[in-house]
Amino acid sequence: MSLKRRQFLLLASLSTAGFIGLGATRKILSLPEIPKQQISQENGAMPQGDDYEIASIPEDKPLFRFVTIGDVGTGETGQYEVANAMVRYHQNHPFKVVTLLGDNIYTNGEIEKIKDVFEKPYQSLLEQSVKFYACLGNHDIRTENGNRQVTYPLFNMQGRYYTFKYDPVQFFVLDANDNADWDKQIPWLEDQLQRNQTPWKIVYSHFPMYSSGLYGVNKILINRLTPLFKKYGVQLYMNGHEHNYERTQPIHGITYLVNGNGGANIRPVGSSEWTAKAASTHGFTAIEVYADRMIIQAIDTNDQVFDQGIIRL
């Protein structure tokens, strides 16, 4: 087996949607070689060995690039370190959008803190016309049920749940708090998914569905959402709430991405049978969207890529 082949851990999908994770830490330079051939098995395990072809990702320009962060709104050192790393990344890899995965204002969602916990940390990005699209976390609804965050212009929320598009991606933003109006939200989500024509569909809320952290697996949310995800071909679900990072292997064609490491105090995270990578470190995740694949890079505050993966269409 060649040296290049020994450098990478190959992971398979649990479905026909291919996903490979690369766990080695590296500087943000160029994407490493990845497996071209994939074998999907019922239990999601890929045998390791010499039987899988390694091929370079074509170095074409992505159609769209965005960054995702969650649990950011502390105004403390950790948040600023992540924000500064995002600014450095933006210099060489410009992005138009940041998805905010909830708990945007600690501790009680007080909009009076917005300058210290949002406008100052991300001032440079805001000045460069980067748009932030927020969802509501459990801390956000402690004051006025989060209503003033919903109407705050720089969060670009069109309601407690909403959708927006940057070709070739449609984003579906959910309110998954305990007091969410699921009787209205689920029919709305199905209608939006059914009418959607984009090849890539990404859903996010604050709360995890699959997690090896403090809160674990959310069976209620899984039962509520995964039938729609499978029916309409959602490829990626993102969330915060857990103060760590975790990426799953695809589960029924869907990759689940925990990004609660954007500023709040980091918590430990374990590993489950479906875990592709988990880490307890501050950082953000950059996602590049192509016609046939999405490339994921998790980046820490020292500009190190500590996880990489690809979702194939």
Side-chain angles (χ1 to χ4, degrees), residues 110-161:
E110 310 97 316
I111 198 69
E112 293 78 14
K113 295 182 177 179
I114 196 66
K115 185 176 291 294
D116 290 331
V117 304
F118 178 73
E119 293 176 6
K120 286 182 179 179
Y122 308 114
Q123 179 178 354
S124 176
L125 295 174
L126 291 168
E127 289 175 349
Q128 296 177 77
S129 300
V130 174
K131 297 188 73 171
F132 289 71
Y133 291 85
C135 70
L136 294 173
N138 54 300
H139 285 269
D140 299 316
I141 65 170
R142 291 181 179 180
T143 298
E144 299 180 55
N145 200 26
N147 291 332
R148 293 182 68 186
Q149 289 197 41
V150 173
T151 58
Y152 173 63
L154 295 183
F155 280 173
N156 292 291
M157 300 177 71
Q158 302 161 36
R160 304 184 75 84
Y161 50 91

Short mmCIF file of all heavy atoms in Angstrom, two decimals, residues 110-161:
data_model
loop_
_atom_site.label_atom_id
_atom_site.label_comp_id
_atom_site.label_asym_id
_atom_site.label_seq_id
_atom_site.Cartn_x
_atom_site.Cartn_y
_atom_site.Cartn_z
N GLU A 110 -31.00 38.28 25.62
CA GLU A 110 -31.31 39.70 25.75
C GLU A 110 -30.77 40.46 24.54
O GLU A 110 -29.57 40.56 24.35
CB GLU A 110 -30.67 40.27 27.02
CG GLU A 110 -30.95 39.47 28.29
CD GLU A 110 -29.81 38.50 28.62
OE1 GLU A 110 -29.32 37.83 27.68
OE2 GLU A 110 -29.43 38.43 29.79
N ILE A 111 -31.66 41.03 23.76
CA ILE A 111 -31.26 41.74 22.54
C ILE A 111 -30.38 42.94 22.86
O ILE A 111 -29.61 43.40 21.99
CB ILE A 111 -32.51 42.16 21.73
CG1 ILE A 111 -32.13 42.48 20.27
CG2 ILE A 111 -33.20 43.33 22.41
CD1 ILE A 111 -31.71 41.31 19.45
N GLU A 112 -30.44 43.45 24.09
CA GLU A 112 -29.60 44.58 24.48
C GLU A 112 -28.11 44.25 24.41
O GLU A 112 -27.27 45.16 24.34
CB GLU A 112 -29.95 45.04 25.90
CG GLU A 112 -31.34 45.65 26.04
CD GLU A 112 -32.44 44.60 26.08
OE1 GLU A 112 -32.12 43.40 26.26
OE2 GLU A 112 -33.63 44.97 25.92
N LYS A 113 -27.77 42.98 24.41
CA LYS A 113 -26.37 42.55 24.35
C LYS A 113 -25.86 42.37 22.92
O LYS A 113 -24.72 41.97 22.71
CB LYS A 113 -26.19 41.22 25.09
CG LYS A 113 -26.44 41.28 26.57
CD LYS A 113 -26.19 39.92 27.19
CE LYS A 113 -26.36 39.93 28.70
NZ LYS A 113 -26.12 38.57 29.28
N ILE A 114 -26.69 42.66 21.93
CA ILE A 114 -26.38 42.28 20.55
C ILE A 114 -25.08 42.89 20.03
O ILE A 114 -24.36 42.27 19.25
CB ILE A 114 -27.57 42.63 19.62
CG1 ILE A 114 -27.44 41.90 18.28
CG2 ILE A 114 -27.68 44.13 19.44
CD1 ILE A 114 -27.57 40.41 18.37
N LYS A 115 -24.75 44.08 20.47
CA LYS A 115 -23.50 44.69 20.00
C LYS A 115 -22.30 43.90 20.49
O LYS A 115 -21.36 43.62 19.72
CB LYS A 115 -23.42 46.14 20.47
CG LYS A 115 -22.20 46.88 19.92
CD LYS A 115 -22.21 48.35 20.33
CE LYS A 115 -23.32 49.10 19.62
NZ LYS A 115 -23.08 49.18 18.15
N ASP A 116 -22.30 43.51 21.76
CA ASP A 116 -21.15 42.83 22.34
C ASP A 116 -21.03 41.38 21.89
O ASP A 116 -19.91 40.86 21.77
CB ASP A 116 -21.21 42.88 23.87
CG ASP A 116 -20.98 44.28 24.41
OD1 ASP A 116 -20.26 45.06 23.74
OD2 ASP A 116 -21.52 44.61 25.48
N VAL A 117 -22.17 40.72 21.64
CA VAL A 117 -22.10 39.28 21.36
C VAL A 117 -22.28 38.95 19.88
O VAL A 117 -22.19 37.79 19.49
CB VAL A 117 -23.15 38.51 22.19
CG1 VAL A 117 -22.97 38.77 23.68
CG2 VAL A 117 -24.57 38.84 21.75
N PHE A 118 -22.52 39.97 19.05
CA PHE A 118 -22.66 39.72 17.62
C PHE A 118 -21.98 40.78 16.75
O PHE A 118 -21.11 40.47 15.95
CB PHE A 118 -24.14 39.61 17.23
CG PHE A 118 -24.37 39.39 15.77
CD1 PHE A 118 -24.08 38.16 15.18
CD2 PHE A 118 -24.84 40.42 14.96
CE1 PHE A 118 -24.26 37.97 13.81
CE2 PHE A 118 -25.04 40.23 13.60
CZ PHE A 118 -24.74 39.00 13.03
N GLU A 119 -22.36 42.03 16.93
CA GLU A 119 -21.89 43.06 16.02
C GLU A 119 -20.39 43.32 16.14
O GLU A 119 -19.71 43.52 15.12
CB GLU A 119 -22.68 44.35 16.24
CG GLU A 119 -24.15 44.20 15.85
CD GLU A 119 -24.97 45.44 16.16
OE1 GLU A 119 -24.37 46.47 16.58
OE2 GLU A 119 -26.20 45.40 15.99
N LYS A 120 -19.85 43.30 17.33
CA LYS A 120 -18.41 43.50 17.50
C LYS A 120 -17.59 42.29 17.06
O LYS A 120 -16.62 42.44 16.31
CB LYS A 120 -18.10 43.86 18.96
CG LYS A 120 -18.50 45.27 19.35
CD LYS A 120 -18.10 45.57 20.78
CE LYS A 120 -18.49 47.00 21.18
NZ LYS A 120 -18.13 47.27 22.60
N PRO A 121 -17.92 41.07 17.51
CA PRO A 121 -17.11 39.92 17.09
C PRO A 121 -17.05 39.74 15.58
O PRO A 121 -16.02 39.36 15.04
CB PRO A 121 -17.80 38.74 17.78
CG PRO A 121 -18.52 39.32 18.93
CD PRO A 121 -18.95 40.68 18.49
N TYR A 122 -18.16 40.01 14.88
CA TYR A 122 -18.22 39.74 13.44
C TYR A 122 -18.22 41.02 12.61
O TYR A 122 -18.65 41.02 11.46
CB TYR A 122 -19.47 38.90 13.13
CG TYR A 122 -19.57 37.67 14.00
CD1 TYR A 122 -20.59 37.54 14.93
CD2 TYR A 122 -18.61 36.66 13.92
CE1 TYR A 122 -20.67 36.42 15.75
CE2 TYR A 122 -18.68 35.54 14.74
CZ TYR A 122 -19.70 35.44 15.65
OH TYR A 122 -19.77 34.33 16.46
N GLN A 123 -17.71 42.11 13.20
CA GLN A 123 -17.74 43.40 12.53
C GLN A 123 -17.07 43.35 11.16
O GLN A 123 -17.61 43.86 10.18
CB GLN A 123 -17.07 44.46 13.40
CG GLN A 123 -17.04 45.85 12.77
CD GLN A 123 -16.40 46.89 13.68
OE1 GLN A 123 -16.08 46.61 14.84
NE2 GLN A 123 -16.21 48.09 13.16
N SER A 124 -15.91 42.73 11.09
CA SER A 124 -15.18 42.69 9.82
C SER A 124 -15.97 41.97 8.75
O SER A 124 -16.03 42.42 7.59
CB SER A 124 -13.82 42.01 10.01
OG SER A 124 -13.14 41.89 8.78
N LEU A 125 -16.60 40.85 9.10
CA LEU A 125 -17.38 40.10 8.12
C LEU A 125 -18.64 40.87 7.72
O LEU A 125 -19.00 40.90 6.53
CB LEU A 125 -17.76 38.73 8.69
CG LEU A 125 -16.58 37.78 8.96
CD1 LEU A 125 -17.07 36.53 9.67
CD2 LEU A 125 -15.86 37.43 7.67
N LEU A 126 -19.29 41.50 8.67
CA LEU A 126 -20.48 42.28 8.36
C LEU A 126 -20.14 43.43 7.42
O LEU A 126 -20.90 43.75 6.51
CB LEU A 126 -21.11 42.81 9.66
CG LEU A 126 -21.75 41.76 10.57
CD1 LEU A 126 -22.07 42.35 11.94
CD2 LEU A 126 -23.01 41.17 9.94
N GLU A 127 -18.99 44.05 7.64
CA GLU A 127 -18.56 45.16 6.77
C GLU A 127 -18.26 44.69 5.35
O GLU A 127 -18.26 45.50 4.42
CB GLU A 127 -17.34 45.84 7.37
CG GLU A 127 -17.65 46.64 8.63
CD GLU A 127 -16.42 47.21 9.29
OE1 GLU A 127 -15.29 46.79 8.89
OE2 GLU A 127 -16.55 48.06 10.20
N GLN A 128 -17.99 43.39 5.20
CA GLN A 128 -17.73 42.82 3.88
C GLN A 128 -18.98 42.17 3.29
O GLN A 128 -18.90 41.36 2.39
CB GLN A 128 -16.59 41.81 3.97
CG GLN A 128 -15.27 42.44 4.38
CD GLN A 128 -14.16 41.42 4.52
OE1 GLN A 128 -13.60 40.93 3.54
NE2 GLN A 128 -13.84 41.07 5.76
N SER A 129 -20.14 42.54 3.84
CA SER A 129 -21.45 42.12 3.33
C SER A 129 -21.72 40.63 3.48
O SER A 129 -22.53 40.06 2.73
CB SER A 129 -21.62 42.54 1.86
OG SER A 129 -21.51 43.95 1.73
N VAL A 130 -21.06 39.98 4.43
CA VAL A 130 -21.41 38.59 4.75
C VAL A 130 -22.74 38.60 5.50
O VAL A 130 -22.92 39.38 6.45
CB VAL A 130 -20.32 37.92 5.59
CG1 VAL A 130 -20.76 36.53 6.04
CG2 VAL A 130 -19.01 37.84 4.80
N LYS A 131 -23.66 37.75 5.09
CA LYS A 131 -24.99 37.70 5.70
C LYS A 131 -25.08 36.52 6.66
O LYS A 131 -24.66 35.41 6.35
CB LYS A 131 -26.08 37.59 4.63
CG LYS A 131 -26.13 38.81 3.71
CD LYS A 131 -27.33 38.77 2.80
CE LYS A 131 -28.61 39.08 3.56
NZ LYS A 131 -29.77 39.25 2.65
N PHE A 132 -25.65 36.78 7.84
CA PHE A 132 -25.86 35.78 8.86
C PHE A 132 -27.34 35.41 8.89
O PHE A 132 -28.21 36.30 8.88
CB PHE A 132 -25.44 36.30 10.23
CG PHE A 132 -23.95 36.46 10.40
CD1 PHE A 132 -23.26 37.46 9.73
CD2 PHE A 132 -23.24 35.61 11.23
CE1 PHE A 132 -21.89 37.62 9.88
CE2 PHE A 132 -21.86 35.76 11.40
CZ PHE A 132 -21.19 36.76 10.72
N TYR A 133 -27.63 34.11 8.92
CA TYR A 133 -29.00 33.61 8.97
C TYR A 133 -29.15 32.78 10.25
O TYR A 133 -28.55 31.70 10.36
CB TYR A 133 -29.32 32.77 7.74
CG TYR A 133 -29.39 33.56 6.46
CD1 TYR A 133 -28.25 33.84 5.72
CD2 TYR A 133 -30.62 34.04 5.98
CE1 TYR A 133 -28.31 34.57 4.54
CE2 TYR A 133 -30.69 34.77 4.80
CZ TYR A 133 -29.53 35.03 4.09
OH TYR A 133 -29.59 35.76 2.92
N ALA A 134 -29.94 33.26 11.19
CA ALA A 134 -30.01 32.67 12.52
C ALA A 134 -31.22 31.77 12.70
O ALA A 134 -32.23 31.91 12.02
CB ALA A 134 -30.02 33.77 13.57
N CYS A 135 -31.09 30.86 13.65
CA CYS A 135 -32.24 30.15 14.20
C CYS A 135 -32.24 30.37 15.70
O CYS A 135 -31.27 30.87 16.27
CB CYS A 135 -32.21 28.67 13.84
SG CYS A 135 -30.92 27.69 14.66
N LEU A 136 -33.32 30.00 16.35
CA LEU A 136 -33.48 30.24 17.78
C LEU A 136 -33.05 29.04 18.60
O LEU A 136 -33.46 27.91 18.33
CB LEU A 136 -34.94 30.57 18.11
CG LEU A 136 -35.48 31.88 17.53
CD1 LEU A 136 -36.98 31.98 17.79
CD2 LEU A 136 -34.75 33.09 18.12
N GLY A 137 -32.22 29.30 19.62
CA GLY A 137 -31.83 28.27 20.57
C GLY A 137 -32.60 28.39 21.87
O GLY A 137 -33.40 29.33 22.06
N ASN A 138 -32.36 27.47 22.78
CA ASN A 138 -33.09 27.48 24.05
C ASN A 138 -32.77 28.71 24.89
O ASN A 138 -33.63 29.23 25.61
CB ASN A 138 -32.81 26.20 24.84
CG ASN A 138 -31.34 25.94 25.04
OD1 ASN A 138 -30.59 25.79 24.07
ND2 ASN A 138 -30.90 25.86 26.29
N HIS A 139 -31.54 29.21 24.82
CA HIS A 139 -31.22 30.43 25.56
C HIS A 139 -31.87 31.65 24.93
O HIS A 139 -32.20 32.61 25.63
CB HIS A 139 -29.69 30.62 25.62
CG HIS A 139 -29.02 29.71 26.59
ND1 HIS A 139 -28.80 30.04 27.91
CD2 HIS A 139 -28.52 28.47 26.43
CE1 HIS A 139 -28.19 29.04 28.53
NE2 HIS A 139 -28.01 28.06 27.64
N ASP A 140 -32.05 31.62 23.62
CA ASP A 140 -32.61 32.77 22.91
C ASP A 140 -34.06 33.05 23.25
O ASP A 140 -34.52 34.19 23.16
CB ASP A 140 -32.47 32.56 21.39
CG ASP A 140 -31.03 32.42 20.97
OD1 ASP A 140 -30.19 33.20 21.46
OD2 ASP A 140 -30.74 31.53 20.14
N ILE A 141 -34.81 32.02 23.63
CA ILE A 141 -36.24 32.22 23.86
C ILE A 141 -36.56 32.57 25.32
O ILE A 141 -37.72 32.69 25.68
CB ILE A 141 -37.06 30.98 23.44
CG1 ILE A 141 -36.71 29.77 24.31
CG2 ILE A 141 -36.83 30.67 21.96
CD1 ILE A 141 -37.64 28.57 24.09
N ARG A 142 -35.53 32.75 26.14
CA ARG A 142 -35.76 33.05 27.55
C ARG A 142 -36.28 34.48 27.75
O ARG A 142 -36.89 34.78 28.78
CB ARG A 142 -34.49 32.85 28.36
CG ARG A 142 -34.07 31.39 28.48
CD ARG A 142 -32.81 31.25 29.32
NE ARG A 142 -32.41 29.85 29.47
CZ ARG A 142 -31.35 29.45 30.15
NH1 ARG A 142 -30.57 30.35 30.75
NH2 ARG A 142 -31.05 28.17 30.23
N THR A 143 -36.01 35.35 26.79
CA THR A 143 -36.51 36.72 26.86
C THR A 143 -37.47 36.97 25.70
O THR A 143 -37.10 36.81 24.54
CB THR A 143 -35.34 37.74 26.78
OG1 THR A 143 -34.47 37.53 27.90
CG2 THR A 143 -35.87 39.17 26.81
N GLU A 144 -38.70 37.27 26.03
CA GLU A 144 -39.74 37.58 25.04
C GLU A 144 -39.86 36.49 23.97
O GLU A 144 -40.21 36.77 22.83
CB GLU A 144 -39.47 38.94 24.38
CG GLU A 144 -39.46 40.10 25.35
CD GLU A 144 -39.19 41.42 24.65
OE1 GLU A 144 -39.93 41.75 23.70
OE2 GLU A 144 -38.26 42.12 25.06
N ASN A 145 -39.58 35.27 24.39
CA ASN A 145 -39.70 34.11 23.49
C ASN A 145 -38.85 34.26 22.23
O ASN A 145 -39.14 33.66 21.19
CB ASN A 145 -41.16 33.87 23.10
CG ASN A 145 -41.39 32.44 22.60
OD1 ASN A 145 -40.67 31.52 22.96
ND2 ASN A 145 -42.39 32.27 21.75
N GLY A 146 -37.82 35.08 22.30
CA GLY A 146 -36.93 35.27 21.15
C GLY A 146 -37.48 36.18 20.07
O GLY A 146 -36.87 36.31 18.99
N ASN A 147 -38.60 36.83 20.33
CA ASN A 147 -39.27 37.61 19.27
C ASN A 147 -38.41 38.76 18.75
O ASN A 147 -38.43 39.07 17.56
CB ASN A 147 -40.60 38.17 19.79
CG ASN A 147 -41.63 37.07 20.00
OD1 ASN A 147 -41.60 36.04 19.33
ND2 ASN A 147 -42.53 37.27 20.95
N ARG A 148 -37.63 39.38 19.62
CA ARG A 148 -36.81 40.51 19.18
C ARG A 148 -35.61 40.04 18.35
O ARG A 148 -35.09 40.79 17.53
CB ARG A 148 -36.38 41.36 20.38
CG ARG A 148 -37.56 42.07 21.05
CD ARG A 148 -37.12 42.93 22.19
NE ARG A 148 -36.34 44.08 21.72
CZ ARG A 148 -35.74 44.95 22.54
NH1 ARG A 148 -35.84 44.78 23.86
NH2 ARG A 148 -35.06 45.96 22.06
N GLN A 149 -35.18 38.82 18.55
CA GLN A 149 -34.15 38.27 17.68
C GLN A 149 -34.72 38.00 16.28
O GLN A 149 -34.05 38.21 15.28
CB GLN A 149 -33.56 36.98 18.26
CG GLN A 149 -32.68 37.19 19.46
CD GLN A 149 -31.80 35.99 19.75
OE1 GLN A 149 -31.25 35.37 18.85
NE2 GLN A 149 -31.67 35.65 21.03
N VAL A 150 -35.95 37.52 16.25
CA VAL A 150 -36.59 37.23 14.96
C VAL A 150 -36.66 38.49 14.11
O VAL A 150 -36.50 38.44 12.89
CB VAL A 150 -37.99 36.62 15.17
CG1 VAL A 150 -38.72 36.48 13.83
CG2 VAL A 150 -37.88 35.27 15.86
N THR A 151 -36.88 39.63 14.73
CA THR A 151 -37.03 40.89 13.98
C THR A 151 -35.74 41.68 13.89
O THR A 151 -35.72 42.75 13.26
CB THR A 151 -38.11 41.77 14.62
OG1 THR A 151 -37.77 42.04 15.99
CG2 THR A 151 -39.47 41.07 14.57
N TYR A 152 -34.65 41.18 14.46
CA TYR A 152 -33.36 41.88 14.37
C TYR A 152 -32.84 41.76 12.94
O TYR A 152 -32.63 40.65 12.44
CB TYR A 152 -32.38 41.27 15.37
CG TYR A 152 -30.97 41.79 15.25
CD1 TYR A 152 -30.67 43.13 15.49
CD2 TYR A 152 -29.93 40.93 14.91
CE1 TYR A 152 -29.37 43.60 15.39
CE2 TYR A 152 -28.63 41.39 14.81
CZ TYR A 152 -28.36 42.72 15.04
OH TYR A 152 -27.07 43.19 14.94
N PRO A 153 -32.62 42.88 12.24
CA PRO A 153 -32.33 42.82 10.80
C PRO A 153 -31.12 41.98 10.41
O PRO A 153 -31.16 41.28 9.39
CB PRO A 153 -32.13 44.30 10.43
CG PRO A 153 -32.85 45.07 11.47
CD PRO A 153 -32.73 44.27 12.73
N LEU A 154 -30.05 42.02 11.20
CA LEU A 154 -28.82 41.33 10.79
C LEU A 154 -28.86 39.82 11.01
O LEU A 154 -27.93 39.12 10.62
CB LEU A 154 -27.62 41.95 11.52
CG LEU A 154 -27.31 43.40 11.16
CD1 LEU A 154 -26.06 43.89 11.89
CD2 LEU A 154 -27.15 43.59 9.66
N PHE A 155 -29.93 39.32 11.62
CA PHE A 155 -30.13 37.88 11.71
C PHE A 155 -30.89 37.33 10.51
O PHE A 155 -31.01 36.12 10.35
CB PHE A 155 -30.85 37.50 13.01
CG PHE A 155 -29.95 37.44 14.22
CD1 PHE A 155 -30.49 37.26 15.48
CD2 PHE A 155 -28.57 37.57 14.11
CE1 PHE A 155 -29.67 37.21 16.61
CE2 PHE A 155 -27.74 37.52 15.23
CZ PHE A 155 -28.30 37.34 16.49
N ASN A 156 -31.47 38.22 9.72
CA ASN A 156 -32.11 37.84 8.46
C ASN A 156 -33.15 36.74 8.60
O ASN A 156 -33.34 35.92 7.69
CB ASN A 156 -31.04 37.42 7.44
CG ASN A 156 -30.19 38.59 7.00
OD1 ASN A 156 -30.65 39.49 6.31
ND2 ASN A 156 -28.93 38.59 7.42
N MET A 157 -33.84 36.73 9.73
CA MET A 157 -34.88 35.72 9.95
C MET A 157 -36.20 36.21 9.36
O MET A 157 -36.58 37.37 9.51
CB MET A 157 -35.04 35.44 11.44
CG MET A 157 -33.78 34.91 12.09
SD MET A 157 -33.96 34.64 13.88
CE MET A 157 -35.04 33.21 13.90
N GLN A 158 -36.89 35.33 8.69
CA GLN A 158 -38.17 35.66 8.08
C GLN A 158 -39.34 35.11 8.91
O GLN A 158 -40.46 35.01 8.44
CB GLN A 158 -38.21 35.09 6.66
CG GLN A 158 -37.09 35.60 5.78
CD GLN A 158 -36.85 34.73 4.58
OE1 GLN A 158 -37.78 34.17 4.00
NE2 GLN A 158 -35.59 34.59 4.19
N GLY A 159 -39.01 34.75 10.13
CA GLY A 159 -39.98 34.15 11.04
C GLY A 159 -39.26 33.19 11.95
O GLY A 159 -38.03 33.04 11.90
N ARG A 160 -40.00 32.49 12.78
CA ARG A 160 -39.39 31.52 13.68
C ARG A 160 -38.88 30.31 12.90
O ARG A 160 -38.00 29.59 13.36
CB ARG A 160 -40.37 31.10 14.76
CG ARG A 160 -40.92 32.28 15.57
CD ARG A 160 -41.80 31.82 16.70
NE ARG A 160 -41.02 31.28 17.80
CZ ARG A 160 -40.46 32.01 18.75
NH1 ARG A 160 -40.57 33.34 18.73
NH2 ARG A 160 -39.78 31.45 19.73
N TYR A 161 -39.47 30.06 11.76
CA TYR A 161 -38.95 29.08 10.81
C TYR A 161 -39.12 29.68 9.42
O TYR A 161 -40.08 30.41 9.14
CB TYR A 161 -39.65 27.73 10.94
CG TYR A 161 -41.15 27.78 10.95
CD1 TYR A 161 -41.90 27.68 9.78
CD2 TYR A 161 -41.85 27.90 12.16
CE1 TYR A 161 -43.28 27.72 9.79
CE2 TYR A 161 -43.23 27.94 12.19
CZ TYR A 161 -43.95 27.84 11.00
OH TYR A 161 -45.32 27.89 11.01
#
